[in-house]
Amino acid sequence: MQSHRLVILTCAVAGFFAWGANRAFGLQSELPMEEPKHDAGQSITGALEGWFQNPDGSFSILLGYFNRNGKQVLDIPVGPNNKIEPGGPDQGQPTHFLAGREWGVFTLKVPKDFGDKKLLWTIVANGRTTTIPASLNPLWEISPFKEESVQNTPPVLAFDENGPTIQGPRGFTKSVTTTVSQPLPLTVFVADDAKKLPASRRAVGPPATITWTEFRGPGTVKFENAKPPVEVNAGKPIAQAPFFGKATTTATFSEPGDYILHVVANDWSGDGGRGFQCCWTYGDLKVSVK
């Protein structure tokens, strides 16, 4: 699959994309290209990262979001204010929106005969409505499994040392149970090819990093360390790679109910691939809290 090396949406570009898309598709939520930064009261816009073909011939559309609020974290349940149509409103999108830009947090899998159809993701936040289209436009085809200039590939991630692994933004889910106010141990295993970035991009820190966030849930999740350090050479290697290890933390839940925790393994390319839609891997932990 050919990579078009798309430039990732920055704050201004995210606003421009939503503005341009809404005008093109006749949607009623025009957004200014630039506006002063605010801690709260602003909109949230979905972000189309691109799409890629799956081995079975189907396609996955990769989506993230941009919360324009500098400090305000919002919970928007699936429904009229957070919907993906047609076929929704629930198509696996987040309901817990962190402040700022979150890159490629979920995929929409569509059939091989999807053609030129479109899905629309609408988010209403602070009384402001935004809608973006998601399609298989050829201009948005990406290669999230290899960055060609240095043949860099995403980290390999696993919830269990001997369990299944995932690589790239295909998503992977495990289910566990816990109780309110009882810290839940979280351990992931990671491996990476440790490919160096081009000379213009200095590699800083370990070859792979881990970040946990809340994706869905009825209450507050408190992580002991949302970015736990990777213990190098710890555990059994989960892939043939020069770098491997494990990262451990805990999560505590304020309310009973069903939660989804999102874990991302980034390599040296960093959040969003720094302009290349590669190389990161994510998984989701479904937690039933009693």
Side-chain angles (χ1 to χ4, degrees):
M1 182 184 300
Q2 181 181 4
S3 172
H4 294 280
R5 297 185 178 181
L6 300 174
V7 176
I8 303 296
L9 297 175
T10 61
C11 295
V13 176
F16 173 77
F17 175 75
W19 175 83
N22 289 340
R23 288 184 62 86
F25 289 88
L27 303 173
Q28 303 300 314
S29 60
E30 295 186 8
L31 298 175
M33 291 179 62
E34 296 183 5
E35 59 182 39
K37 294 182 179 179
H38 301 274
D39 288 342
Q42 302 305 299
S43 64
I44 298 174
T45 302
L48 173 63
E49 319 286 13
W51 61 267
F52 55 90
Q53 189 168 23
N54 299 309
D56 63 2
S58 66
F59 300 92
S60 288
I61 301 174
L62 182 62
L63 295 165
Y65 64 84
F66 176 36
N67 179 353
R68 288 179 175 77
N69 300 287
K71 295 182 179 180
Q72 187 182 20
V73 175
L74 292 168
D75 288 282
I76 307 175
V78 169
N81 293 336
N82 183 5
K83 61 183 179 180
I84 298 178
E85 300 287 2
D90 191 349
Q91 297 202 41
Q93 69 267 34
T95 64
H96 185 78
F97 294 90
L98 302 174
R101 180 70 159 92
E102 291 294 311
W103 309 91
V105 296
F106 74 107
T107 57
L108 298 174
K109 189 173 182 179
V110 298
K112 61 179 68 176
D113 61 352
F114 190 71
D116 59 359
K117 299 184 183 73
K118 296 178 179 64
L119 295 170
L120 299 178
W121 185 14
T122 297
I123 304 173
V124 182
N126 293 316
R128 299 168 180 255
T129 301
T130 64
T131 300
I132 65 160
S135 70
L136 301 181
N137 186 320
L139 294 176
W140 289 90
E141 184 178 8
I142 59 174
S143 293
F145 303 101
K146 182 176 289 187
E147 196 284 296
E148 295 178 358
S149 67
V150 293
Q151 300 296 294
N152 183 29
T153 58
V156 178
L157 186 68
F159 287 116
D160 299 292
E161 191 174 34
N162 298 309
T165 61
I166 188 70
Q167 186 176 29
R170 295 193 189 278
F172 177 70
T173 302
K174 178 184 177 180
S175 298
V176 298
T177 60
T178 189
T179 56
V180 170
S181 301
Q182 178 67 38
L184 173 69
L186 302 175
T187 299
V188 292
F189 299 84
V190 64
D192 187 64
D193 57 16
K195 290 289 181 69
K196 298 289 185 180
L197 299 172
S200 60
R201 298 171 180 174
R202 186 167 57 94
V204 178
T209 58
I210 297 297
T211 302
W212 286 93
T213 58
E214 182 180 353
F215 190 82
R216 290 189 178 192
T220 300
V221 180
K222 182 178 180 181
F223 296 98
E224 178 186 24
N225 186 351
K227 296 179 179 290
V230 176
E231 185 181 353
V232 181
N233 297 335
K236 186 176 70 175
I238 60 172
Q240 294 288 335
F243 175 84
F244 71 92
K246 69 177 182 179
T248 301
T249 187
T250 65
T252 305
F253 303 84
S254 66
E255 303 290 338
D258 295 324
Y259 294 76
I260 297 178
L261 303 183
H262 190 72
V263 59
V264 178
N266 276 303
D267 69 2
W268 272 325
S269 59
D271 291 344
R274 298 186 187 178
F276 300 87
Q277 297 290 35
C278 182
C279 293
W280 70 88
T281 299
Y282 73 80
D284 292 320
L285 187 69
K286 293 183 177 181
V287 185
S288 176
V289 181
K290 309 298 183 184

